[in-house]
Amino acid sequence: LVDPRIERLEELLEKDGSNFENQRALGLLSLIEGHYERANAHLHRAYELNPGDFETTVNYGIVLAHRGQLQP
């Protein structure tokens, strides 16, 4: 069963992949659900779009730690 929030965010990102907030939100939802590869992809993109965002940086760091990476 797919979370309807994830489906909606994916639809929005198909239209505008440069939307920082949607990239971050989908990354966070993916992280919470344990989908680390998907979380990595979206949080990495959110970080590229807005490297000064604290929440993105922290969550991206959590994903990298789950993947055994110390740096992107």
Side-chain angles (χ1 to χ4, degrees):
L1 188 64
V2 177
D3 186 326
R5 296 172 297 176
I6 289 176
E7 286 181 334
R8 179 67 179 139
L9 286 167
E10 288 174 342
E11 290 171 5
L12 292 170
L13 287 171
E14 283 179 21
K15 295 176 185 172
D16 181 9
S18 65
N19 184 297
F20 157 74
E21 289 87 2
N22 290 340
Q23 290 285 0
R24 181 179 65 188
L26 185 51
L28 180 57
L29 283 172
S30 299
L31 174 61
I32 290 167
E33 291 191 351
H35 299 287
Y36 300 116
E37 292 304 313
R38 183 172 64 201
N40 180 68
H42 292 288
L43 289 170
H44 177 75
R45 181 67 177 134
Y47 182 80
E48 288 178 334
L49 292 167
N50 189 355
D53 182 67
F54 180 76
E55 182 182 337
T56 299
T57 303
V58 168
N59 289 324
Y60 187 38
I62 292 169
V63 169
L64 292 175
H66 277 282
R67 295 179 58 170
Q69 290 180 253
L70 298 177
Q71 298 180 22

